[in-house]
Amino acid sequence: MSPGVAWICILALAVAGTGITMANFGPLISGLYAFGLLLGTVYSIPPLRLKRFAVPAFMIIATVRGLLLNFGVYYSTRAALGLEFAWSPAIGFITAFVTLFAVVIAITKDLPDVEGDKAAGIETFATKMGVRSVSLLSTGLLLSNYVGAVYLALSQVGTFNVPVMAGSYGLLGLILVFRAWRLDMAGYTKEAIQSFYRWIWNLFYATYFIFPFIQVGV
C-alpha cells in the first residue's frame, strides 16, 4: 500500500467512525470516541508523533488503556443495548487500576530494546533512568495497585467479592515481587528483562480474567 492510499484509508475510516458514533450514541460516547481519535492521531502521525517522547507517550497510553478502553467501552456497550447510564463501582475500580497499570506498561515497554534505543539516540525512560531504576519504579507502582485493590475489597465488603478480589490480587502482587526478585538476581540481563516484561503482560491479562468475578452478586 502506498503512503497516499494509506492516508486515504485512514481519513475515510476516521470520518466513518465518527459519523457512526454520532449517529448511534449520545454526546458522552461521541466525545470519548473523538477524544480517543485525537490521542491516536497526535501519538502516531507527523508532525507531532508524540510516541517519540517518553512523558507524552506514557500519558496517552495510560489514558487510552485506562479510561477509554474500560469506562468508554462499558458505557458505549450499555448505550448500544439501550440501557441508561448507571455508575458501576467495578468499572470505576478497573478503570483506575488499569490506568496505573498502563503507566507501568508505558514506562517498561522499552526495557527490552534499551541498547538499540541508546544506539539510535531514542529517548525513553529506560535510556534516561537506567534499566534497574525503571524496573524498580514499575514494580513499586504496580505493587501499590495490588495493595490498593486488596484494601478496597476489604473496606467495601458489600460491594466486592472479598475472597476473590483480595485473594487474587494479593497473589498477583506476590507474583510481581517474585518476578522482580528474579530479575534482580539475574543481574538485569537482556533475557531476564524480556522475561520480566512478558510477566507484566501476563499480570495485565490476569486482571481481566479475574474482573468478572470481583463484584458481589456477579
Side-chain angles (χ1 to χ4, degrees), residues 16-73:
T18 303
I20 292 171
T21 304
M22 294 180 67
N24 292 277
F25 299 99
L28 173 62
I29 302 304
S30 298
L32 289 174
Y33 182 88
F35 182 50
L37 186 60
L38 172 64
L39 291 180
T41 300
V42 300
Y43 180 83
S44 300
I45 297 179
L48 293 178
R49 206 163 180 262
L50 296 180
K51 64 186 296 182
R52 299 173 297 165
F53 308 105
V55 174
F58 97 75
M59 292 177 66
I60 291 173
I61 291 172
T63 301
V64 171
R65 287 193 178 276
L67 175 64
L68 297 181
L69 292 185
N70 293 283
F71 181 89
V73 170

Side-chain angles (χ1 to χ4, degrees), residues 17 27 38 65 86 105 107 113 147-148 158 161 178 188 191 202 211 218:
L38 172 64
R65 287 193 178 276
I105 290 174
I107 65 176
D113 304 317
V147 171
N161 187 329
F178 174 71
Y188 299 90
E191 292 75 15
N202 291 339
F211 175 69
V218 177

Side-chain angles (χ1 to χ4, degrees), residues 57-138:
F58 97 75
M59 292 177 66
I60 291 173
I61 291 172
T63 301
V64 171
R65 287 193 178 276
L67 175 64
L68 297 181
L69 292 185
N70 293 283
F71 181 89
V73 170
Y74 175 75
Y75 285 108
S76 63
T77 302
R78 286 185 63 89
L81 295 173
L83 302 174
E84 294 182 358
F85 180 92
W87 176 251
S88 167
I91 293 299
F93 160 74
I94 198 68
T95 298
F97 187 93
V98 173
T99 297
L100 184 55
F101 210 126
V103 171
V104 172
I105 290 174
I107 65 176
T108 58
K109 67 181 179 65
D110 299 305
L111 284 176
D113 304 317
V114 63
E115 294 303 326
D117 289 338
K118 285 181 179 179
I122 299 174
E123 180 183 290
T124 67
F125 281 102
T127 59
K128 293 177 65 176
M129 299 173 57
V131 171
R132 186 173 187 274
S133 296
V134 170
S135 300
L136 292 175
L137 174 61
S138 61

